[in-house]
Structure formats: C-alpha cells, structure tokens
Amino acid sequence: MDARTVSEQPQTHDVGGLRLERPFRIRRLGHFGYNVVDVEACLPFYTDLLGLGVSDTIDFNRTFDLDENKVGSGVGYLMRHGTDHHSFVVFPKRAMDARPGRPELPPDITINQITWQVGSLREVVAATSWLAEQGKPITRKGRDVPGSNWHVYPLGPDLNINELYYGIEQVGWDGLSKPRSMYGI
C-alpha cells in the first residue's frame, strides 16, 4: 500500500475510461514539419524522391499580410503519404518567423512543429487548461485549415513547437479532402 495519504495522491483524470495523471493520452505521432530557407529546392526531394503527395498549399504572405520583398515567397506545402490530409509540411522559414504573434524563437530552430494525436476534442480542450496550469506556454489553440484539425500548441523546454491535435481531414479517392471554398466554414 502506498504510504501517501489520500490528499497526497496525484490527481487523476478520466481519459476514455482510463485514470491518467494528465487529461489526455497520446495515441500516435501525428504530422511533422520543417521551416526551410528554400521551399522550392526542397520539394523535389520530398515529392519526387520520397513520393509524398501534395495535399494543399498555403500562402502565409497573403494570410498574414507579409511583404514578399522582405520575407520572400510565403508558400508552404502540406504533404501526405496516406489518407491523413497531411503527415509532413515544409514551410518558408522567413515568412514563418515574420508572422504576427509568433513566439520569439532562436534562429537555429527549423522544426515547424511536431504533433501528437489525442483521442478526442475533449482531450485537446482539457490539455489546454492543464498545460497552462503546469506553467507551459501555449502559442496557439483552435482549429486550422487546411486539414481542419483541432489543436493546442505548447512550447517544449527546448522551444520547439509541439501540437496536441484531434481530427484531421481524410483525403478521398479523388485526391481532395474538401473544396478550397469550404476552408473558412
């Protein structure tokens, strides 16, 4: 028997019927991304040599009203190897570093994000509060498009951006997850 009193027992959370010390459980490693200086130079390696398919592009210059003369191209690529909308992303480092609200990160960090899939939206919401209670900085939370996954982005101790997420669009037989006109819905 544990010698700790009831009041000393760590708080546990019901996560899908399991009692855990945190209100979420990592189900699998999700997608991963790099911020690179020359996106166009990287694409042939990931698409032609490794065989990843491009699911979508996103223009961060347009999204965040960045000056292309200062940051270069803002176009990033969301790629996949299976049916998840994206399993790998390559984004332009200068545009990503210039985004409003971006945490101040050391210039040598080129990992855009490493993501961890949890089992429900409830776990994402509970993780957001719990991580804040633990004093962990949260850089973003909400839902992204394209991909439509719900997320919270805590910074790791090494200042790499992590993402806990739930749900991601699946790409169908036609190679599309949904029409671009639906991204804002």
Side-chain angles (χ1 to χ4, degrees), residues 55-160:
S55 300
D56 266 303
T57 60
I58 186 168
D59 186 345
F60 293 101
N61 289 349
R62 194 175 75 192
T63 302
F64 295 104
D65 196 28
L66 302 175
D67 184 348
E68 188 167 344
N69 294 320
K70 292 181 180 177
V71 300
S73 172
V75 177
Y77 291 81
L78 296 99
M79 295 177 257
R80 68 180 186 283
H81 70 280
T83 60
D84 281 359
H85 180 273
H86 54 279
S87 53
F88 185 69
V89 299
V90 176
F91 290 159
K93 182 165 177 35
R94 286 186 296 271
M96 296 306 294
D97 289 348
R99 290 186 321 165
R102 176 89 168 166
E104 196 67 36
L105 301 175
D108 61 337
I109 290 186
T110 58
I111 295 174
N112 175 275
Q113 63 184 332
I114 184 167
T115 66
W116 308 97
Q117 185 182 43
V118 298
S120 68
L121 177 56
R122 176 181 171 213
E123 289 180 48
V124 172
V125 172
T128 303
S129 301
W130 186 81
L131 288 163
E133 289 168 8
Q134 307 306 310
K136 301 304 175 194
I138 304 293
T139 63
R140 298 192 306 122
K141 59 185 176 181
R143 191 172 195 187
D144 278 337
V145 289
S148 297
N149 44 301
W150 294 95
H151 62 256
V152 59
Y153 284 80
L155 281 179
D158 54 359
L159 300 181
N160 280 304

Side-chain angles (χ1 to χ4, degrees), residues 11-16 18 20-27 118-131 133-134 164:
Q11 178 185 5
T12 62
H13 306 268
D14 180 350
V15 181
L18 299 174
L20 301 177
E21 292 182 16
R22 64 200 51 75
F24 59 89
R25 182 169 63 96
I26 301 295
R27 301 318 204 261
V118 298
S120 68
L121 177 56
R122 176 181 171 213
E123 289 180 48
V124 172
V125 172
T128 303
S129 301
W130 186 81
L131 288 163
E133 289 168 8
Q134 307 306 310
L164 299 180

Side-chain angles (χ1 to χ4, degrees), residues 30-53:
H31 44 281
F32 184 82
Y34 283 118
N35 293 332
V36 299
V37 174
D38 189 346
V39 172
E40 297 300 323
C42 293
L43 277 180
F45 177 82
Y46 295 109
T47 58
D48 299 339
L49 291 176
L50 296 185
L52 298 177

